[in-house]
Amino acid sequence: MAIRPILIYPDPRLHTVASKVSGVNDEIRQLIEDMAETMYAAPGIGLAAIQVNEPLQIIVIDVTPEKTHLQVFINPQILEAEGEEECEEGCLSVPGIYDWVKRAKKIRVTALNKEGETFEIIAEGMMAVCIQHEMDHLLGRVFVEKLSRLKHQRILTKLKKRQREKQGS
Ligand code: NI
């Protein structure tokens, strides 16, 4: 297991559209373990493979406070979505930035687990938000791009300034 570096917005690699996983083998399972370790260490509640520079359709999520229930979604698809809810979101690739995003309230999702078996879940609340947020990453989308142009611009300015300060120190 290894903690991998997380790409920080606006790294252009975060805009990569992830490819489907063609077979769940040991290499994929190793990547999933690394993703989980990286997410828990951050700490965060969700991580998409592209955030550790692997453009594959893989997501890890654990929304439990005890961090005891890792959920893995490989090649996830939303089958049904209903309702609307606004939640405050953050992202390990956009450190220190939180803002409100509107998403479906309840979703039905199918994916493969790390054994390569198909499963289906109905998610609501934080789990639904998290799955939708992470699935956006698979399409190369980051949550701050859902905000108003002005807010997005402010966030970009802030992150670029922070990066310059880091490089200068
Ligand atoms: Ni994110």
Side-chain angles (χ1 to χ4, degrees), residues 46-48 51 90-94 133-134 137 141-143:
L47 190 78
Q51 293 180 274
C91 179
L92 292 177
S93 291
V94 197
H133 173 115
E134 301 309 331
H137 277 300
R141 297 179 188 147
V142 180
F143 87 101

Side-chain angles (χ1 to χ4, degrees), residues 124-136:
E124 286 181 87
M126 207 203 287
M127 189 64 192
V129 171
C130 200
I131 293 172
Q132 292 173 85
H133 173 115
E134 301 309 331
M135 281 185 74
D136 271 357

Side-chain angles (χ1 to χ4, degrees), residues 77-89 100-109 121-136 146:
Q77 270 182 291
I78 293 181
L79 302 172
E80 256 182 294
E82 60 177 66
E84 204 179 61
E85 201 170 25
E86 206 172 9
C87 279
E88 194 174 31
E89 296 186 19
W100 294 80
V101 179
K102 236 182 239 169
R103 299 195 186 269
K105 192 180 170 76
K106 187 174 172 184
I107 53 173
R108 188 159 66 89
V109 181
I121 63 157
I122 290 173
E124 286 181 87
M126 207 203 287
M127 189 64 192
V129 171
C130 200
I131 293 172
Q132 292 173 85
H133 173 115
E134 301 309 331
M135 281 185 74
D136 271 357
K146 284 181 166 294

Side-chain angles (χ1 to χ4, degrees), residues 42-129:
I45 59 170
L47 190 78
I50 191 60
Q51 293 180 274
V52 292
N53 200 26
E54 294 283 353
L56 289 168
Q57 294 184 18
I58 305 173
I59 290 168
V60 293
I61 292 177
D62 190 342
V63 295
T64 62
E66 314 77 32
K67 302 289 170 208
T68 49
H69 191 55
L70 182 70
Q71 286 184 278
V72 177
F73 298 81
I74 301 167
N75 303 339
Q77 270 182 291
I78 293 181
L79 302 172
E80 256 182 294
E82 60 177 66
E84 204 179 61
E85 201 170 25
E86 206 172 9
C87 279
E88 194 174 31
E89 296 186 19
C91 179
L92 292 177
S93 291
V94 197
I97 307 284
Y98 300 89
D99 217 318
W100 294 80
V101 179
K102 236 182 239 169
R103 299 195 186 269
K105 192 180 170 76
K106 187 174 172 184
I107 53 173
R108 188 159 66 89
V109 181
T110 185
L112 301 177
N113 63 19
K114 63 180 195 302
E115 277 72 49
E117 303 153 346
T118 304
F119 69 98
E120 206 180 288
I121 63 157
I122 290 173
E124 286 181 87
M126 207 203 287
M127 189 64 192
V129 171

